[in-house]
Amino acid sequence: MEPPSASAAARAMFLMLTPNESSFEKVEDVPLYVQQATPVFVGLMLLELLVGVLKTGAPVITISDGLTSISAGMISRLPYLLMRGCELSAYVYVWNQHRLVELPWDSPWTWWFTLLGVDFGYYWVHRTAHEVAILWAAHQVHHSSEYYNLTTALRQSLTQQFASWIFYLPLALAVPPSIFAVHIQLNLLYQFWIHTELIRDLGPLEWVFNTPKHHRVHHGRNIYCIDKNYGGILIIWDRLFGTFAEEKEKVIYGLVFPINTFQILHVQLHYYLDLWRRSDTYKTFSDKLSTFIKGPSWQPGKARLGDYENNPKVTGKEVPHYPIWPLHLQVYVVIHFLLVLFIYHDLFEHKMMLSQLTILGMTSYILLTLTSLGFIIDQRPTAAVLEMLRCVVMVTMQRYSLMKPLYPSLAVPTERPCRQ
C-alpha cells in the first residue's frame, strides 16, 4: 500500500474520509493513519501556539509541560516496536476463532456500523478507566497536565493499551479486522484536535459530537467536571448514560492532587505505587483488593466510586505548576529533546531492519534521555550526574554504530579507527 497523502491524513483527523477510500479487505492494506498524521500534529500545534500568542498575548504551551506531554506520547508507542498492538492482536484472534457472521468489508453500512461500535466501545473503555482504580493508574497520565492544549492530547499512557482491548472484542464477532483497524485509528485521531481552549463553541454540533467545549469539562478537576463527558467522537453516549455535563464556571485542569513534576517515569507510573501503599494500610484482604478494583477515591465504608469529601476545594484561582529555570537550560533541553525525537523517528522507520537487541538498546536510551531531561526541568540535585551518564551512553552507542548521529560530520571524534 502507498502511504496516505497528507490530505488523507488531515481529513482522517476530522472524520472526513469516505467509506469508499478507507475500506480495505486485509489488515495489511490499512494505512498507518496515526503515523502519517505526524506532520498534521506538528502543524496544528504550531498554529495553536501562534494563534494563542495573537489572541491572548502569551503562549498556550510551556516548554516544561509541552515536552513532558510529547514525551509521554513517545513512551506510549514504544511497545509497538516489539509487538503488534494488543487491541488489534486480540481482535484478530477472536475474529479468526469465534466470529458469528462476516459483514462485507466493502459495504458503507459496515463502515458506519463500525464507527458507532468503536466509539461505543471507547466510551466504556474511558468510563471504566475512571471508575476502576488500577485502570485509572494508567489513564491518569492523560489527565496529569494542568494545561489544556494540543500537546495534552499526546500525553498518553504506556500501560492503558494492555487493558482497553477487551471492550472491542464483541465487534470481532462480525466486523472484519481491516475495518476495525481503520476506525480504531480514526477514533484516536479525532480526539487530537478537541484538546484546545481556542475553539469555544461549535453551535449545533455540540449536541451530537464531542467537541473542545465538552472535552475541557472532562479534563477539569472542578467537582462538576469529575467523571463526566467520556465520549470519543460522539457525546450522545454521555447524554444517554447520564455522564454529560455542560461547561459552566472556569475549568481548572489536571489531577485532583497535582503531581508537580515533569519526570516522565514518575508521571507514567507513580499511581501504581500510590495504590500499593494505600492498600498496605488496610487490614482485610477484601479492603486491599477493593483498593485496586473500586473507584480511585474509594475508602472502606464508602460507596464503590468513593466521594469527593477529601478533594481540595477548587477556587478558580489555581496556578499550574511552572518551575522557573534558566534560559540556557531551556535551550539545552529543547535541543536534546529534538535530537532524541530524531532518533525515535528513525527507530520506527527502520525497526524491520534492526535486531531485537538493537531495538531494546535504543529504546532504553530513549527512556534514559527523556528521564534525564525531566530531571533537568525539575532541577533535581542528581540531574547533572544522570545527564553526564546519558551523554557517555550516547557517545558509546554512536562509536559502536548502534545509533546514527544527526550530523555525521560531528561524530568523527567518536568513530572507531579503521584497521589497516
Side-chain angles (χ1 to χ4, degrees):
M1 278 292 297
E2 290 293 322
S5 65
S7 169
R11 287 184 294 115
M13 186 174 296
F14 296 97
L15 209 65
M16 296 173 67
L17 294 179
T18 66
N20 185 55
E21 66 178 315
S22 55
S23 294
F24 304 90
E25 184 176 4
K26 300 176 181 178
V27 172
E28 294 77 14
D29 294 336
V30 176
L32 300 176
Y33 291 112
V34 174
Q35 185 173 321
Q36 296 298 329
T38 299
V40 184
F41 292 155
V42 174
L44 288 178
M45 285 189 288
L46 292 175
L47 179 62
E48 183 189 40
L49 187 61
L50 175 62
V51 173
V53 170
L54 295 175
K55 191 174 181 179
T56 67
V60 296
I61 303 172
T62 66
I63 291 176
S64 51
D65 187 78
L67 294 190
T68 303
S69 292
I70 298 172
S71 297
M74 293 167 64
I75 286 179
S76 73
R77 295 188 63 78
L78 288 177
Y80 292 108
L81 290 168
L82 300 171
M83 63 183 188
R84 189 158 67 170
C86 292
E87 291 165 343
L88 190 56
S89 297
Y91 192 97
V92 170
Y93 173 80
V94 173
W95 166 262
N96 288 335
Q97 302 296 326
H98 303 291
R99 68 178 180 267
L100 303 177
V101 296
E102 185 170 336
L103 297 179
W105 67 268
D106 54 352
S107 168
W109 292 105
T110 301
W111 195 94
W112 287 108
F113 173 78
T114 309
L115 184 148
L116 291 173
V118 168
D119 201 55
F120 181 71
Y122 177 80
Y123 171 86
W124 288 105
V125 168
H126 200 178
R127 182 169 176 173
T128 307
H130 279 253
E131 295 186 353
V132 177
I134 190 66
L135 301 182
W136 172 247
H139 187 62
Q140 59 81 29
V141 176
H142 184 59
H143 286 262
S144 60
S145 174
E146 294 180 83
Y147 295 85
Y148 190 75
N149 52 58
L150 292 178
T151 68
T152 310
L154 303 179
R155 188 178 283 228
Q156 298 294 326
S157 168
L158 170 66
T159 55
Q160 185 169 338
Q161 59 192 300
F162 299 118
S164 60
W165 54 272
I166 299 171
F167 295 84
Y168 299 109
L169 294 185
L171 285 172
L173 300 177
V175 175
S178 58
I179 306 302
F180 172 77
V182 168
H183 282 285
I184 199 69
Q185 293 187 81
L186 298 187
N187 195 277
L188 178 64
L189 284 172
Y190 178 91
Q191 294 178 59
F192 174 77
W193 69 272
I194 62 176
H195 288 81
T196 183
E197 291 191 287
L198 298 181
I199 300 173
R200 302 309 303 177
D201 193 293
L202 293 177
L205 295 178
E206 304 283 351
W207 283 96
V208 178
F209 292 98
N210 193 15
T211 63
K213 181 179 179 180
H214 295 324
H215 204 58
R216 282 193 292 271
V217 171
H218 179 73
H219 273 259
R221 63 179 190 254
N222 315 55
I223 294 298
Y224 86 92
C225 297
I226 295 175
D227 297 339
K228 300 296 182 181
N229 298 2
Y230 295 117
I233 293 174
L234 302 172
I235 203 67
I236 57 173
W237 313 121
D238 291 283
R239 296 185 186 276
L240 285 171
F241 296 113
T243 53
F244 176 73
E246 284 279 7
E247 186 178 40
K248 294 184 288 190
E249 67 260 24
K250 178 183 177 183
V251 177
I252 303 300
Y253 304 108
L255 299 172
V256 170
F257 299 97
I259 54 177
N260 296 332
T261 182
F262 299 102
Q263 205 294 91
I264 193 61
L265 292 182
H266 183 86
V267 171
Q268 288 280 349
L269 303 173
H270 77 96
Y271 201 83
Y272 290 104
L273 184 59
D274 291 348
L275 282 179
W276 180 261
R277 288 171 175 167
R278 194 191 313 169
S279 71
D280 202 39
T281 63
Y282 301 140
K283 294 182 179 180
T284 68
F285 176 77
S286 174
D287 286 346
K288 290 179 183 292
L289 180 62
S290 293
T291 305
F292 294 93
I293 64 175
K294 292 186 178 180
S297 61
W298 177 86
Q299 291 177 348
K302 292 188 176 182
R304 180 179 69 85
L305 298 181
D307 54 42
Y308 309 138
E309 288 182 2
N310 297 326
N311 290 16
K313 184 178 179 181
V314 173
T315 65
K317 298 179 181 179
E318 288 77 6
V319 177
H321 179 55
Y322 183 68
I324 304 300
W325 49 311
L327 178 61
H328 70 276
L329 281 183
Q330 295 183 42
V331 173
Y332 179 88
V333 165
V334 170
I335 290 174
H336 282 269
F337 180 80
L338 292 176
L339 289 174
V340 79
L341 194 60
F342 166 79
I343 293 169
Y344 176 87
H345 176 74
D346 190 66
L347 178 57
F348 271 89
E349 285 289 308
H350 301 99
K351 65 179 181 179
M352 300 305 294
M353 297 182 286
L354 300 174
S355 68
Q356 294 283 310
L357 187 61
T358 300
I359 290 175
L360 189 60
M362 294 182 71
T363 299
S364 299
Y365 171 74
I366 290 169
L367 288 173
L368 175 61
T369 300
L370 297 179
T371 300
S372 181
L373 297 183
F375 271 52
I376 294 173
I377 296 173
D378 278 353
Q379 300 176 71
R380 296 196 180 190
T382 54
V385 175
L386 184 61
E387 179 61 9
M388 187 178 299
L389 171 64
R390 184 192 73 84
C391 290
V392 169
V393 171
M394 178 182 69
V395 170
T396 302
M397 292 182 71
Q398 289 187 359
R399 179 177 177 81
Y400 291 96
S401 302
L402 296 175
M403 187 169 68
K404 184 172 68 174
L406 182 59
Y407 296 105
S409 59
L410 298 180
V412 171
T414 70
E415 291 179 353
R416 300 172 69 184
C418 297
R419 295 180 179 275
Q420 297 294 329

